Amino acid sequence: MKLKTLTVSQVNDYLANYIGTNPIFSNMSVGGEVFNLKKTGYGYTFLSLKDDESKLNAITYLEKFDVQEGDFITVSGKISFYKKSGTYSIIINSYEKKGQGNNYEQFKILYEKLEKLGYFKYELKKPIIKFPHKIGIITSAKGAAVKDIISVINRRYPKVSLIIYDSKMQGMDVENNVIQGINTLSDLSVDTIIISRGGGDTDDLSVFNSQLIAKAVFDCDIPIISAIGHEIDYVICDFVADMRAPTPSIAGELSVPNLQEVYDTIDNFEKSINISYKNIINLYNSKINSYRFLIQSNTPYQKINQKKLSLLELTSFIEQAYKDKIQSYKDRLFYMSSILQENNYNNILSKGFALVEKGDRFIKTTEDLALGDRLTIRLKDGNVSVVVEEFKS
């Protein structure tokens, strides 16, 4: 019986329908170690779960998803099949942390061991040669990483010679290949060694968490730049190396200077030296002119003229000071006269007001009076005598 030929879309439709209608996939719990964790700025997180034999891609939209690489977690959710790519992931609705996974524990143990041996000490790091003649690169000759490094170095510093050691960077024999590459390039007396591979899964990069590679890097007399994976990836090789580069391209930048910047720096030095000499010459010319002026300004004739000018200025100042003082007194006298004029009681009486006197003092309030008191009321054109007969409020 001849089998019916299906299209790719039909196969994926069948699988999507089967997974979507099977209740086991709509609500399941899965336990595994977290790796390939990538938190986005859009509120969701990509990751993978793995055990000793397999991995499962996952995605979650939980706002609080507090896990790290190497954590062992149990998640609950449903399987979602993506027909366009023919892949599936578990959509995580909830999770529970169970501790650290096996890979993380192994990484931690090796890290602490090498740290005690002094593999990570900053003072033991060798400086990268600033103007190298030869650079050795340990990487896959067919990978994208080596193309990036070569492109960057040729653009920045084309004078340097590059030696590519074609090494396996994934799978079996990576340790032996990398170690042999370090030894071979050391024998060729390169100035700098770059160990590089592009991004990959945590499992792909874990081979560089090797004590044998770490020892070869540490024992190497030539400075080594480690550029394994992407910026977020860290392996033991990065910590042991003399310098870590977040990406292969940056490893190329760190290994050589920018030739154009070197030329610009030389030009700037030349300009700076010329400007310095001109400034020194101008400074001495300025000093000569200053001394010349000082000599000329200290002749007897100049001193007599300066004294005459000072005397004239002092005379003018004294005359002006006296004028200002006299005017100040005039202004003050005029002001006091106007105040007296304004407060003359005759002027107040001419406005319809009156002064009340009892004996030899002025009366301001009824509390100073009693019935029968004789008072004198002073008006504008004369005085009037009255007797107090009644008080009104």
Side-chain angles (χ1 to χ4, degrees):
M1 179 180 175
K2 187 177 180 180
L3 294 176
K4 179 182 177 181
T5 301
L6 303 175
T7 66
V8 174
S9 296
Q10 287 175 325
V11 173
N12 284 349
D13 283 339
Y14 285 133
L15 290 173
N17 183 63
Y18 176 75
I19 291 174
T21 57
N22 194 322
I24 192 173
F25 296 121
S26 62
N27 187 18
M28 62 190 318
S29 178
V30 181
E33 183 179 341
V34 175
F35 75 110
N36 289 340
L37 181 67
K38 295 179 177 64
K39 295 185 178 182
T40 72
Y42 303 101
Y44 53 88
T45 302
F46 294 106
L47 67 149
S48 296
L49 300 174
K50 70 173 183 177
D51 55 22
D52 293 337
E53 297 180 357
S54 302
K55 75 172 184 177
L56 171 64
N57 292 330
I59 185 173
T60 181
Y61 300 93
L62 296 172
E63 291 184 4
K64 294 184 178 180
F65 191 65
D66 184 22
V67 301
Q68 297 178 350
E69 292 269 352
D71 286 347
F72 191 93
I73 62 175
T74 300
V75 304
S76 297
K78 67 175 183 178
I79 297 294
S80 177
F81 186 84
Y82 304 97
K83 291 191 291 183
K84 189 172 182 179
S85 60
T87 59
Y88 63 91
S89 300
I90 182 169
I91 309 297
I92 300 173
N93 297 323
S94 62
Y95 73 98
E96 182 181 356
K97 292 174 71 170
K98 299 292 185 180
Q100 296 291 337
N102 185 50
N103 281 1
Y104 175 82
E105 290 299 331
Q106 291 178 351
F107 175 90
K108 184 179 178 182
I109 291 170
L110 179 58
Y111 182 92
E112 291 175 351
K113 177 181 178 181
L114 297 182
E115 186 176 36
K116 290 179 181 178
L117 293 174
Y119 276 40
F120 309 146
K121 285 185 176 181
Y122 179 79
E123 56 268 25
L124 298 180
K125 305 286 185 188
K126 296 175 287 295
I128 306 301
I129 303 299
K130 192 168 185 178
F131 298 100
H133 297 287
K134 287 191 296 183
I135 292 178
I137 305 172
I138 301 173
T139 188
S140 171
K142 297 179 181 179
V146 68
K147 295 178 182 178
D148 293 339
I149 295 173
I150 293 173
S151 175
V152 170
I153 291 177
N154 285 339
R155 171 173 52 82
R156 288 172 60 88
Y157 196 68
K159 294 179 175 295
V160 71
S161 299
L162 300 178
I163 300 175
I164 311 300
Y165 184 89
D166 187 12
S167 168
K168 291 191 67 175
M169 304 304 282
Q170 183 173 330
M172 301 292 291
D173 295 329
V174 174
E175 280 183 330
N176 293 334
N177 273 223
V178 171
I179 294 170
Q180 185 61 46
I182 293 173
N183 294 333
T184 300
L185 293 175
S186 296
D187 292 340
L188 294 175
S189 300
V190 298
D191 297 304
T192 306
I193 295 175
I194 298 174
I195 303 175
S196 178
R197 67 150 286 162
D201 292 343
T202 303
D203 281 349
D204 296 333
L205 304 179
S206 62
V207 67
F208 292 94
N209 295 323
S210 158
Q211 183 171 352
L212 294 177
I213 292 178
K215 186 176 187 307
V217 172
F218 183 75
D219 291 340
C220 183
D221 294 328
I222 296 168
I224 293 179
I225 299 174
S226 175
I228 309 299
H230 295 306
E231 188 170 356
I232 61 173
D233 301 314
Y234 280 88
V235 293
I236 293 294
C237 182
D238 293 331
F239 296 103
V240 183
D242 300 291
M243 181 177 288
R244 175 189 180 261
T247 64
S249 296
I250 296 178
E253 292 183 4
L254 295 173
S255 64
V256 294
N258 187 328
L259 190 59
Q260 186 57 51
E261 290 180 0
V262 174
Y263 290 148
D264 291 342
T265 301
I266 293 172
D267 289 341
N268 290 334
F269 275 131
E270 183 179 2
K271 291 176 182 177
S272 178
I273 291 171
N274 289 334
I275 291 172
S276 296
Y277 275 118
K278 287 180 180 178
N279 289 338
I280 291 172
I281 293 170
N282 290 335
L283 177 62
Y284 281 117
N285 284 334
S286 177
K287 285 185 176 181
I288 290 170
N289 291 330
S290 177
Y291 289 138
R292 183 182 292 117
F293 174 77
L294 189 62
I295 292 170
Q296 291 175 352
S297 62
N298 282 282
T299 61
Y301 177 76
Q302 289 290 338
K303 286 188 174 182
I304 291 171
N305 281 339
Q306 288 174 2
K307 294 297 183 182
K308 286 181 178 179
L309 290 173
S310 297
L311 184 59
L312 289 173
E313 290 177 358
L314 182 59
T315 302
S316 175
F317 173 77
I318 293 173
E319 289 178 352
Q320 187 61 43
Y322 273 112
K323 288 180 182 179
D324 292 343
K325 197 70 172 176
I326 292 170
Q327 185 61 44
S328 174
Y329 282 126
K330 286 181 179 180
D331 294 340
R332 189 174 179 186
L333 183 60
F334 176 79
Y335 174 74
M336 293 175 67
S337 176
S338 63
I339 294 296
L340 289 173
Q341 187 66 23
E342 288 178 4
N343 289 279
N344 189 328
Y345 74 89
N346 287 323
N347 291 334
I348 295 173
L349 294 178
S350 66
K351 295 178 182 180
F353 295 96
L355 294 174
V356 179
E357 293 178 290
K358 177 184 175 183
D360 58 353
R361 62 191 182 94
F362 291 109
I363 300 302
K364 298 178 182 178
T365 174
T366 56
E367 294 178 356
D368 297 332
L369 299 174
L371 293 175
D373 283 348
R374 184 172 294 278
L375 306 176
T376 300
I377 298 176
R378 184 176 296 183
L379 303 172
K380 174 184 177 183
D381 54 354
N383 298 333
V384 178
S385 295
V386 299
V387 176
V388 178
E389 295 180 350
E390 183 181 2
F391 290 99
K392 291 183 179 181
S393 59

